[in-house]
Amino acid sequence: MKIQNNKKFLYPAFAGMVIIVALVAYFFFASVSAQKDTYYIYIDKDDTQDSVFAKIQPQASPMAMAGLKTLLRHTSYSKHVRTGRYAITPGEGALKLFRKLRNGQQASLRLTIPEARTMDRLAAQLSKKLMLDSTTIAQALLSEKTCNKYGYDTCTISAMFVPDTYEVYWDISIDALLQRMQREHNHFWKGERTVKAEARNLTPVQVATLASIIDEETANTAEKPMIAGMYLNRLKSHMPLQADPTVKFALKQFELKRIYNKLTRFQSPYNTYINEGLPPGPIKIASIKGIDAVLNAVNHDYLYMCAKEDFSGTHNFAKTYAEHLKNAARYSKALNENGIK
């Protein structure tokens, strides 16, 4: 009789345990995400525990969300909300997500450095991908103290950036970002590129400055080494570069189609019509192809170039000024015939 009575209590207790285990498993191990694909939440420095819940809840299953809330509310998470970009993958349970949020195990992202013309524009582009706001980035890049810290000034800091794609964390600090860019710059210039620059008596900043002008002169990659050779010839001959893109940069009027004589007299250290040599720094973040074009410039005797009258984006080169005037006349005529002012 005692054995039978014990069984009467044992079975319900066992069943209860099974139910409890099942509920625990359902609450804490069932997929938080109700979606088929991975999605990301972004937790910034202003977020609280409740705002984190609000960011997760629209994409989460109700029961798993309840489990996650239970875990977070019974820990010190509310006092230590970790910023970052967190991936929530299908099949990931509340317990795993809880550990990820608590430990700050965020997912990295791919950050592309654009070939921006100004540091303000660079700041605006980077802020779209990072927790950093554009003002914070711009203030750092326009600060002499900050730029000096990395071996540059506000005119040359753009030379530190190599336009490529990098794995970073969304909540990276401005100091960490600039340190990373400096490491990438040093890696980029390590070895053959530095040897080639030294052979031309150019520093990496000077190479980037000339490359930035060439990038603005043409989008034709094959022609860039020819243009580089022409500008290097001018530098050796102590001739002004007379590069139209430097006038556009000085005026901050990048949309200009024609550079008239009155514009070439605009007073600015960036105007290479009135100043001999390179401008104080790059007029954009130079492309890798532009940099390599300078390092691998074609050796020739040309001192002049003018855009071709067929608007192909390429140029006619000339050794003499008389020949250049003929090329310029053809191009000017084509501009007038097409109503380009």
Side-chain angles (χ1 to χ4, degrees):
M1 290 293 292
K2 288 183 179 180
I3 294 175
Q4 290 179 346
N5 287 336
N6 287 338
K7 287 183 178 180
K8 288 180 180 180
F9 292 103
L10 184 60
Y11 290 140
F14 179 74
M17 289 294 295
V18 170
I19 293 172
I20 291 172
V21 170
L23 287 173
V24 169
Y26 189 62
F27 271 84
F28 300 133
F29 295 97
S31 177
V32 172
S33 176
Q35 308 301 314
K36 293 181 180 180
D37 300 315
T38 298
Y39 70 94
Y40 299 87
I41 61 166
Y42 296 80
I43 301 175
D44 61 38
K45 58 187 177 182
D46 295 323
D47 273 313
T48 64
Q49 178 174 272
D50 288 338
S51 65
V52 171
F53 292 158
K55 290 181 176 182
I56 299 173
Q57 194 154 6
Q59 310 293 334
S61 63
M63 295 299 288
M65 190 67 202
L68 179 63
K69 287 182 177 181
T70 300
L71 289 168
L72 291 176
R73 282 175 175 163
H74 286 81
T75 65
S76 59
Y77 179 75
S78 62
K79 298 178 181 179
H80 304 284
V81 175
R82 307 284 291 271
T83 59
R85 172 180 181 261
Y86 295 91
I88 301 180
T89 59
E92 184 176 61
L95 183 60
K96 185 176 180 180
L97 180 56
F98 158 72
R99 289 173 175 167
K100 187 184 293 185
L101 295 173
R102 182 190 63 185
N103 298 328
Q105 296 173 348
Q106 58 175 305
S108 62
L109 56 78
R110 293 172 63 80
L111 177 69
T112 298
I113 300 298
E115 296 173 20
R117 284 179 169 135
T118 67
M119 293 300 93
D120 283 338
R121 293 189 181 190
L122 174 63
Q125 290 297 312
L126 295 183
S127 68
K128 294 177 181 178
K129 295 285 289 184
L130 302 173
M131 188 174 78
L132 290 166
D133 61 74
S134 60
T135 301
T136 299
I137 300 172
Q139 286 177 343
L141 297 176
L142 298 175
S143 163
E144 287 291 353
K145 182 179 179 180
T146 300
C147 294
N148 291 341
K149 180 180 176 181
Y150 298 98
Y152 300 87
D153 57 37
T154 54
C155 293
T156 60
I157 188 65
S158 59
M160 187 175 76
F161 292 89
V162 179
D164 207 338
T165 300
Y166 307 97
E167 292 280 340
V168 301
Y169 288 117
W170 176 72
D171 63 349
I172 190 171
S173 68
I174 185 62
D175 287 336
L177 176 64
L178 294 179
Q179 288 169 11
R180 172 69 182 281
M181 292 300 100
Q182 186 180 50
R183 290 197 302 272
E184 295 294 346
H185 171 274
N186 293 342
H187 177 74
F188 175 82
W189 280 98
K190 184 178 181 180
E192 187 178 12
R193 286 190 175 95
T194 296
V195 172
K196 288 183 176 181
E198 290 174 348
R200 296 188 180 278
N201 294 316
L202 296 173
T203 67
V205 170
Q206 291 172 325
V207 172
T209 300
L210 184 53
S212 71
I213 296 172
I214 295 167
D215 283 339
E216 290 289 270
E217 288 281 15
T218 185
N220 188 307
T221 300
E223 193 184 44
K224 288 182 178 182
M226 278 290 292
I227 297 175
M230 189 214 71
Y231 280 133
L232 289 171
N233 287 342
R234 287 197 159 214
L235 289 173
K236 292 174 185 176
S237 302
H238 299 286
M239 291 177 62
L241 295 183
Q242 296 185 328
D244 289 356
T246 65
V247 178
K248 294 180 183 181
F249 183 85
L251 294 165
K252 294 298 185 288
Q253 295 181 25
F254 303 106
E255 73 285 353
L256 289 174
K257 300 296 183 183
R258 301 182 72 166
I259 302 297
Y260 294 98
N261 286 334
K262 64 179 180 179
L263 298 180
T264 64
R265 295 190 291 272
F266 180 74
Q267 293 297 313
S268 168
Y270 283 92
N271 184 352
T272 56
Y273 275 85
I274 60 175
N275 298 291
E276 184 184 313
L278 292 168
I283 60 173
K284 66 181 285 291
I285 293 178
S287 71
I288 293 175
K289 291 180 179 179
I291 289 171
D292 287 341
V294 175
L295 298 177
N296 298 287
V298 175
N299 294 319
H300 54 63
D301 297 326
Y302 295 121
L303 287 172
Y304 304 91
M305 73 174 189
C306 180
K308 286 185 178 179
E309 61 276 11
D310 61 3
F311 303 112
S312 62
T314 56
H315 296 77
N316 288 312
F317 293 87
K319 295 180 181 179
T320 67
Y321 186 59
E323 185 182 357
H324 171 66
L325 287 178
K326 293 178 182 179
N327 292 334
R330 288 198 300 272
Y331 182 62
S332 181
K333 180 183 177 182
L335 289 174
N336 292 332
E337 289 176 349
N338 285 272
I340 300 174
K341 298 181 178 181

